[in-house]
Amino acid sequence: MEEGDSPSIENRINNRTLSPVSPDFKSFMTTGWGKEDAKVVPMESSRFTPRRLDSLGRRFPGDRIVIPAGTPKVRNNDCDYAFRPDTTFAYYTGLGEDLEPGAVLVLNPVAPGSPDAEAGKTHVTELFVHPRADQGTEDYYRSSQYGEYWVGPRAGIDELETMTGIETHDIAQLSDALSKDVGTEQGAVRLRVVREADAQVTNLVQSIRRSHGFGDPDDNQELDGKLHEFSAEARMLKDAYEVSEMRKAIAATKDGFDRMLTRLPQVRDTPRSERKLEGAFNAVAREEGNDVGYDTIVASGSNAPILHWMRNTGEVSSGDLLLIDAGVEVTSLYTADITRTFPVSGRFTPLQRRLYETVLNAQQAGFDAAKPGATYSSIHHAVMRVLAEALHEWGILRVSVDEALSPEGQQHRRWHACGCAHHLGLDVHDCAQARYESYQEAPITPGMIFTIEPGLYFKDNDMLVPPEYRGIGIRIEDDVLMTKTGPEWLSSDIPKHVDEVEQWMTQQASKN
C-alpha cells in the first residue's frame, strides 16, 4: 500500500472478515440452500432515462462517457455511512436508495455507419455492476460490502437490467470496456468521467488515458468538468416522473412536520428538546422515504439566526420562535426542502407576528416576480426590497433603501446574507455544477423546481438592533414548480400564514 492510501473495507480489521476459511466450512456454507423467489419489474424511472441518456450522448458524440455510482464512505473503522449513489449516476440510471455501490454507467460511442448509427443513435449504454454474492459463492459470507449473508439479497446483473432497461455486465469487464479503441488518432475514442464520484474509477480512467497517449491526465480536468456541468444543467428541467417524486417528498415532509408539532407539547422546556423534535421528523423520513434529504435544522430561540444550526442540542423554550428546516428524501432520492417558523407557545407575540409577516410578504414578492422568463436575480431583488423597506421603517437600516439595495451598499444583507432561491431535486441544492450564466442569470422556464426562502436573522449579540429583536430568526421556505402559466406552490398544503400556523399547532397538540 502506498503511503497515504487508506485500507479498503475488505482489508480493514473487523468482525466480518474473520470468518472460518476451511474448505469444509466453505462447502457447508455454499450448499443446502433453497431457491429464492425474486420478483423484479422495470422501475417507473426506466421510462424516462432513455431520453436523458440520448440527450447526454448527443452532447458528447464520439466520446466514451463514464458515470460511477460511487462506493460507501467510512464513518469509523469498519462502519460505513449508508450508501447513496452519486447524483449524476442516479439521474441517468434511475437507481435510488442504496442501489448500486461500485456500479459504473458507460455510454459507448457507436461506430459510424453501424446499424445503431443508421438508427440515429450516438451511444450504446451499458451498466457494470458487481454480481450477486449469493449463497452459492464464497463472497456470500466473506464480503462485508456485497456478501448477502451480511447485507441481504441484492439485485444482480439480470435483475438490474430488468429494473433499469440498460444492458448490464459484470464489473470485472469494466477495464477492458473502457480501454477499447481509446487513442488520440483520428476516429479513436476519448474518455470523459464524472471524476468526483469514485476515486478508483477515476484513477482507472486516468491510467487508460496515460497509456493511450493523452499525456498528463490532469489536462483532462476541463474535459471532465464539461460532463459534470452538462449533467447538472440537464437536471434543471424536471420531467413528469421527477415532478411526481417531488410531490411525494413534499407530502412526506408535511407528515414529518405534523409529527414534530404533535411532539412539541411533550418536549417543550426540556433539555435537548431540539433533538427530540429532530428525531420525530427523521423517523418519518425513514418510514416514508429513504432518509432525510439533508441534516435537519431544529433551531429555537437564539439558535434560529444560525443559518445552518444542525447540532440541535438546544432547549425549545416557551416564548421563543422555533425555526425548522427539513426535507424528506424519497426512495428515488428526490428531496423536499421546507422551512417553517413556529411560536413555541402556540401564539405569536405582536413583535413576532410583525417580523414573521414581513418575511411572508417578502416570500410572496419573490413568488410574484417568478414569472416564466424571470431569473433568480429577479426573485432575489423582489425579496430584498421588501426586507430592506421593513428594516428601514423599523429604524434598523440607517441608510436609505435605495442606497442599501445598490451594489455599493447592501447593508440590509447583515440580516439576510444568504441567497433566497435555489434549484431543488436529487440534491437539496441541485444543479450546483452548472455555469453561473445557466443558473443565476438564466430564464426560469417551465419544468424548473426551486425554493423561495427569505428570512430575517438577528443575532443575540447584535448591538445594531433593539434588544427585543435579538435572538430572533425567521425563515419561510417553500418549493415551487414553474409551469407554462406561472409558478405553482408545490408545498401549499403546509400552513404558513399566521392564523393557519397557530391553528395547525393547536390541532397537532390535541393529538397527544
Side-chain angles (χ1 to χ4, degrees):
M1 182 185 300
E2 295 291 331
E3 182 178 351
D5 284 354
S6 58
S8 70
I9 188 171
E10 301 295 351
N11 291 331
R12 283 177 268 144
I13 298 299
N14 63 75
N15 68 324
R16 292 177 285 185
T17 60
L18 299 178
S19 304
V21 296
S22 69
D24 285 349
F25 182 78
K26 175 183 176 181
S27 176
F28 186 68
M29 284 295 288
T30 56
T31 58
W33 303 102
K35 183 179 180 181
E36 290 182 318
D37 184 17
K39 295 180 180 179
V40 178
V41 297
M43 299 184 301
E44 184 182 357
S45 58
S46 66
R47 297 190 293 112
F48 294 85
T49 51
R51 182 197 60 79
R52 303 174 192 172
L53 290 164
D54 181 68
S55 177
L56 176 62
R58 291 183 185 283
R59 173 61 180 83
F60 302 107
D63 291 352
R64 179 167 292 125
I65 301 168
V66 184
I67 304 175
T71 57
K73 294 177 174 59
V74 177
R75 184 183 185 277
N76 58 299
N77 189 34
D78 60 345
C79 297
D80 294 325
Y81 289 102
F83 176 71
R84 184 192 188 279
D86 177 78
T87 293
T88 306
F89 178 89
Y91 180 69
Y92 285 111
T93 63
L95 291 168
E97 298 179 277
D98 57 354
L99 301 170
E100 167 63 27
V104 182
L105 180 71
V106 178
L107 279 69
N108 289 305
V110 301
S114 67
D116 284 327
E118 295 296 328
K121 291 184 177 181
T122 62
H123 291 76
V124 173
T125 306
E126 296 177 310
L127 182 62
F128 293 86
V129 304
H130 288 264
R132 286 188 61 185
D134 60 15
Q135 293 153 345
T137 70
E138 185 177 356
D139 277 345
Y140 169 65
Y141 61 92
R142 294 286 296 167
S143 172
S144 61
Q145 184 169 342
Y146 297 104
E148 296 182 13
Y149 183 89
W150 299 104
V151 301
R154 294 175 47 249
I157 293 172
D158 294 338
E159 293 88 351
L160 284 166
E161 183 163 330
T162 297
M163 292 164 62
T164 64
I166 298 171
E167 183 180 328
T168 305
H169 303 285
D170 191 326
I171 193 72
Q173 302 172 20
L174 178 66
S175 180
D176 289 342
L178 296 187
S179 301
K180 184 179 179 181
D181 300 327
V182 172
T184 57
E185 64 274 15
Q186 183 74 24
V189 172
R190 183 172 58 175
L191 292 170
R192 293 181 188 262
V193 63
V194 178
R195 61 169 61 201
E196 298 84 357
D198 186 325
Q200 289 184 328
V201 174
T202 298
N203 288 340
L204 172 61
V205 168
Q206 299 284 55
S207 175
I208 293 170
R209 285 168 167 165
R210 188 181 296 110
S211 62
H212 287 78
F214 282 92
D216 186 350
D218 288 334
D219 291 343
N220 296 283
Q221 190 162 351
E222 183 177 355
L223 198 74
D224 297 335
K226 290 295 182 183
L227 169 60
H228 211 174
E229 178 185 282
F230 177 84
S231 67
E233 295 180 8
R235 297 201 310 276
M236 288 180 174
L237 295 180
K238 270 58 179 180
D239 56 35
Y241 169 77
E242 294 177 284
V243 173
S244 174
E245 293 300 297
M246 288 298 302
R247 293 187 190 277
K248 293 176 187 176
I250 292 166
T253 299
K254 167 61 161 59
D255 292 343
F257 273 92
D258 283 345
R259 190 171 299 184
M260 285 189 287
L261 292 181
T262 300
R263 186 94 196 278
L264 177 58
Q266 302 168 347
V267 306
R268 184 171 51 209
D269 300 317
T270 65
R272 292 166 70 93
S273 38
E274 289 178 345
R275 194 162 289 191
K276 295 170 185 176
L277 295 180
E278 176 192 4
F281 182 87
N282 292 2
V284 172
R286 290 293 284 168
E287 291 166 18
E288 298 190 26
N290 182 56
D291 208 330
V292 292
Y294 52 94
D295 287 340
T296 302
I297 296 171
V298 182
S300 182
S302 60
N303 291 332
I306 302 172
L307 294 180
H308 285 174
W309 171 256
M310 291 176 283
R311 197 167 294 141
N312 299 345
T313 53
E315 181 175 305
V316 179
S317 301
S318 300
D320 283 345
L321 287 178
L322 170 65
L323 186 157
I324 301 176
D325 188 335
V328 172
E329 176 186 85
V330 290
T331 54
S332 60
L333 305 184
Y334 288 85
T335 184
D337 184 8
I338 304 294
T339 306
R340 291 292 182 265
T341 304
F342 304 95
V344 175
S345 300
R347 292 288 184 270
F348 290 93
T349 67
L351 174 62
Q352 290 171 348
R353 184 181 187 119
R354 177 158 57 91
L355 298 178
Y356 183 94
E357 289 187 332
T358 296
V359 175
L360 190 62
N361 290 339
Q363 189 196 43
Q364 185 62 47
F367 182 82
D368 292 341
K371 303 301 182 186
T375 66
Y376 278 104
S377 294
S378 305
I379 298 173
H380 175 84
H381 292 313
V383 166
M384 289 300 162
R385 176 163 289 279
V386 172
L387 296 179
E389 287 174 348
L391 289 164
H392 186 268
E393 179 184 338
W394 301 334
I396 294 173
L397 181 63
R398 297 175 185 177
V399 300
S400 71
V401 172
D402 286 342
E403 180 181 341
L405 293 175
S406 70
E408 298 76 23
Q410 299 294 299
Q411 292 89 341
H412 63 291
R413 298 294 297 279
R414 176 184 177 102
W415 301 285
H416 190 308
C418 55
C420 58
H422 60 79
H423 279 284
L424 181 66
L426 282 168
D427 288 337
V428 65
H429 296 132
D430 208 18
C431 314
Q433 292 76 30
R435 294 165 296 168
Y436 180 86
E437 59 269 25
S438 297
Y439 196 128
Q440 291 294 337
E441 296 301 328
I444 300 173
T445 57
M448 290 184 175
I449 294 179
F450 52 94
T451 67
I452 302 179
E453 50 175 310
L456 284 172
Y457 310 100
F458 301 109
K459 300 286 187 179
D460 57 3
N461 64 341
D462 189 344
M463 298 296 107
L464 298 187
V465 301
E468 63 269 23
Y469 287 69
R470 297 171 193 164
I472 291 178
I474 298 169
R475 180 163 64 253
I476 305 170
E477 179 179 20
D478 284 278
D479 303 341
V480 179
L481 167 67
M482 183 58 73
T483 73
K484 292 179 180 179
T485 58
E488 173 192 346
W489 292 116
L490 289 176
S491 45
S492 59
D493 288 342
I494 304 178
K496 63 180 175 183
H497 295 280
V498 168
D499 294 340
E500 294 173 346
V501 168
E502 293 178 345
Q503 182 180 13
W504 184 23
M505 295 182 71
T506 300
Q507 289 173 340
Q508 294 307 124
S510 69
K511 295 180 181 180
N512 282 297

